[in-house]
Amino acid sequence: MLTAESSTPHTTPVPLTAGHAQSGLAMLLMFASGAGGLVWQMVWTAQFGLALGHEIVAVLSVVAAFFGGISAGSFFLAHRLERSLYPGRWYAGLEALIASWALLVALVSPLVLPHLSQWIGAEPSALWHWALAFFIPLLALLPATLAMGATLPAMERLLRREHSQPLGSVYAANTAGAMAGLLLAVFFFVPSLGLLGTSLVFAGVNATCAFLAWQVWGGSLKSDLHLPDAAPHAAPQRAQAFDATTPLATPQTVGLRLFLTGLLGIGYEVLAVRVISQVTENTVYTYAMLLAVFLMGTALGAVLIKRAGVTGDVTAQRIDQALGELIVSIFLGGISLWWADQSYALPLRWWGPSATTAIAGEWLAGMTAMFLPSMAMGALFTLLCRQALQIRMPLGTALGINNLGSALAPVLVGLVLVPFAGARAVLFMLIAGYLALRSVQSWHRPAGWVAAGALLVLAIFAGPLRFVNVPAGGSLLSYREGVMAAVSVVADADGVARLHINNRVQEGSSASGQVETRLAQLPLLLHPSPRTALFLGYGTGYTANAAALDPHIQVKAVELLPEVIEAAGIFALKAGAPASASPVATVAADARRYVQSATDRHDVIVADLFHPARSGAGNLYTVEHFSAVKARLAPGGLFCQWLALHQMDIETLRSIVAAFLKVYPNAVAVLASNSLDTPVLGLIARPDQPGWQIQSVRTRLSDMSPRMTKTLKTAKLDDEFAVLGSIIAGPLALKDFVRDATLNSDDRPVVTHRAPWVSYAPQEAPRDRLTLLMQRLAPHAADGMAPHQGADAARLEAYWAARAKYIAFGMAVRPDRDPRVMLNQLRLPLLDMVSTSPDFRPASEPLLALAEAVRETDPQLSAQVKLALRTALSTPPSPSSASSPLPAIPLVNLK
């Protein structure tokens, strides 16, 4: 055998089993290399997204930088690899470079990337944001991405033999590995090990590939492949033979087709994912499922076209045939997009709701839309690369051209075409693009004109590719196809408007005014004198505008989707919408990036209800984000993080609370309302204040204007016990609650990977979750309250005790339209709560209302209830609470 020190080839034939073993090892290495490549893309996108933000500019820039580096690597190393006598050494060196540089990026980026947000600025221009978001990842990742772009050409060059066609097998193995790596990383490695742990594992994978390749193929091309001495020139000789039977194949034609098929193929993937996202849960698992379908189809297409034996002599007619099959596949897959909701719902109808059926529905929606098209794309790509080799174009050059088109597709389709032309029009453009790639000769046959006619008929009669659930008697008030999501406003038969993102996530409604007011005013009332407030999340605009009701407070709101800000104008016109004293300043930006890059400070920062299961939202519940918020608080400032308990299980909540306490050890938990079906929990902290003072809240309320007093009365926040009575746990209770919980952090995104399972298949009803939480948390005045508050502290303890009874009893209440039935059911328990705490108006007010409701039909019962209520409310208050209006209000109404 030829070695690095020898120039005489060894002529002893190599047993067939040895060649098979090397081919099998090559496929295994390409499988592992593909797995590592996609995992690195996922890890880097997550890491850079934390600093660059999740605006479409940043997301697409990172993707473009990744594929741009791969394309450059394929281009620049193409001729070197084609002429090299040592492709095995090249492959080993490339894998070693990937392992070392990728690991270096994984270790250094958490230290460096936080500064990147400050370079970008809080409200950068699109050009500046795009430039930094593209060039910094491009340069930071370039050594690794250059190497990634050359691994497949190196392996193909290594395995190429006389009359051998390894391209299809190598490409299929690499793509199948990418699919496997993606699923393993999303479902196992990242949830179990975190981003850094996953990076260590796959750096080891790349390093192992390098070691094995060097051990097996460290010699020259001739000795490795046992080719004759003329082997380095075999490829050009074969190309000349192919040229003799392959007309009309020029570098320009092949290059153009490679570029456009990359552009159109990834463009279709982007479009299909955008449409399907309107009917799926849009979690990290959703996007993994959809991408896995695309990769699986591509790999299978490459295998089938090789098994069919049609890659030996690629003619123009063969390319036209493959294009025709691809057009039919995309036509069928595109039509299925109109029934994506039915595909998604089919497993749930067959087997009932569960996490398995929900993921199966996402898989099925992706299969019907993308599997056949991706198979045809994989086959066509293999044929085009074989044709490139026939005309002496190095494989690396062909891959570089194709990857360049792939890199441009998300920008062109996702950022430009879909928002401005709509999904349906883009689908027609993509199909028309593939039709235009067919040769002129193919249009002399009727098949091309049949396809064009079918496309024209579909364009005329097909409806829009959008999914909006409009209830019976309701109407669609607004629909905006944005660059990141579709935003709709739907009204029901009663005129209640609801804001939806991708038809799945409800961001609020026009009927939630009281709750929204509480979400805004509760944290503001706990600050002694707020002047500026920042709201992370805008939604319907109710919460931010409810904060701006106070003319002394300047309010700013940050919202990721510009379409949501626009849609909020509809809610501002609804009856009962908060009429802010001054306009709310809105900023379209990623909340995480904005907080990291802003320089101004605020007295109060309120983080809205981010659905934790949605892809990207988990980053807003990490230790690092909470620390960035703390840096934006003015001296004495307050931070409130609202959490929708009906959207997360207890373990997800524990991870978030643990992260919050890591930054704010003196935090308390509050309950926004007494709702059992949609409970909202709040984590509130003032880093500069060790405990909460009842007198401070009382003074704050006494300084309110008559308009604000009326607003707070409507929201049931017009006394100090209603405000501080919302506390359900102090710092000590919370620390005990999160004992042994895993902190949600940038490196360990627990929320991102755990919260989706609650969306797929809730294990218990929200009210059961709230009951469990209340059993584990119990407030007391010594935990979180400032000392020396005397009788006020005792009244607050009584309020908490009554609230606990109220929530526990609410679980057993059976609603009835007959007020007499309800009064008989509620009278004794509510009277007990009032006796426990006369300040607890959630018990006294409904009891009084029911007594009034039966006064005409059963005056005796009404009088008995009022007398009992008067007795309970007449319990002598402590001197320090004489100014409290609570006992007096119901007594006046009991006449």
Side-chain angles (χ1 to χ4, degrees), residues 831 834 847-848 863-875 887 890-895:
L831 282 173
V834 175
L847 194 57
L848 177 61
Q864 289 175 352
V865 172
K866 290 181 180 180
L867 178 60
L869 184 57
R870 182 182 296 110
T871 301
L873 289 169
S874 298
T875 303
L891 284 173
V892 172
N893 294 329
L894 285 176
K895 293 181 180 179

Side-chain angles (χ1 to χ4, degrees), residues 280-288 359 362 613-616 752 755-757 759-760:
T280 58
E281 292 293 341
N282 298 323
T283 69
V284 65
Y285 302 113
T286 303
Y287 296 111
I359 292 180
E362 295 178 338
R614 304 304 173 223
S615 182
T752 297
W757 300 112
S759 293
Y760 287 133

Side-chain angles (χ1 to χ4, degrees), residues 110-316:
L111 304 175
V112 177
L113 287 179
H115 302 288
L116 181 56
S117 296
Q118 299 173 3
W119 298 343
I120 295 175
E123 300 180 46
S125 66
L127 180 61
W128 177 249
H129 194 178
W130 194 298
L132 288 183
F134 175 75
F135 285 108
I136 290 180
L138 177 66
L139 296 176
L141 305 177
L142 193 58
T145 53
L146 284 173
M148 289 178 182
T151 53
L152 193 150
M155 184 60 74
E156 192 276 340
R157 176 75 178 105
L158 179 66
L159 296 180
R160 194 186 307 157
R161 308 180 184 204
E162 289 287 350
H163 310 297
S164 178
Q165 302 167 23
L167 174 61
S169 300
V170 172
Y171 176 66
N174 195 248
T175 306
M179 179 190 71
L182 170 69
L183 295 178
L184 284 172
V186 170
F187 282 90
F188 176 73
F189 284 110
V190 175
S192 302
L193 305 178
L195 294 178
L196 181 57
T198 302
S199 299
L200 292 173
V201 169
F202 282 90
V205 169
N206 290 119
T208 302
C209 289
F211 175 78
L212 292 176
W214 184 268
Q215 290 297 313
V216 177
W217 297 297
S220 70
L221 177 67
K222 290 187 288 185
S223 65
D224 285 343
L225 302 184
H226 316 291
L227 296 179
D229 292 340
H233 307 288
Q237 291 172 357
R238 288 196 302 274
Q240 292 172 0
F242 281 128
D243 285 343
T245 60
T246 308
L248 302 179
T250 65
Q252 293 77 14
T253 302
V254 175
L256 180 62
R257 279 179 168 166
L258 282 166
F259 175 80
L260 290 178
T261 51
L263 178 67
L264 296 172
I266 300 301
Y268 180 78
E269 179 198 1
V270 171
L271 174 68
V273 171
R274 279 294 307 273
V275 174
I276 294 172
S277 66
Q278 298 181 66
V279 301
T280 58
E281 292 293 341
N282 298 323
T283 69
V284 65
Y285 302 113
T286 303
Y287 296 111
M289 287 290 106
L290 297 180
L291 181 54
V293 168
F294 189 83
L295 293 170
M296 180 178 67
T298 305
L300 187 58
V303 170
L304 292 179
I305 198 69
K306 184 178 186 300
R307 291 292 181 91
V310 298
T311 58
D313 183 7
V314 183
T315 63

Side-chain angles (χ1 to χ4, degrees), residues 471-550:
S475 60
L476 178 62
L477 303 181
S478 173
Y479 182 87
R480 292 172 173 83
E481 189 77 59
V483 296
M484 296 188 70
V487 177
S488 60
V489 180
V490 178
D492 61 18
D494 298 325
V496 176
R498 291 177 172 82
L499 175 65
H500 294 272
I501 296 177
N502 279 341
N503 197 42
R504 299 293 295 179
V505 183
Q506 180 175 316
E507 293 292 315
S509 75
S510 58
S512 58
Q514 179 176 333
V515 174
E516 301 282 358
T517 301
R518 291 180 63 88
L519 295 180
Q521 290 297 331
L522 186 56
L524 291 173
L525 290 173
L526 290 173
H527 190 284
S529 57
R531 290 295 177 263
T532 60
L534 175 66
F535 282 77
L536 305 180
Y538 192 58
T540 62
Y542 274 25
T543 306
N545 281 282
L549 289 169
D550 190 336

Side-chain angles (χ1 to χ4, degrees), residues 627-652:
S627 298
V629 171
K630 184 178 181 180
R632 299 277 67 79
L633 290 175
L638 177 147
F639 175 44
C640 173
Q641 173 67 69
W642 292 116
L643 304 168
L645 193 57
H646 52 283
Q647 295 173 347
M648 64 185 73
D649 63 357
I650 296 298
E651 285 305 310
T652 302

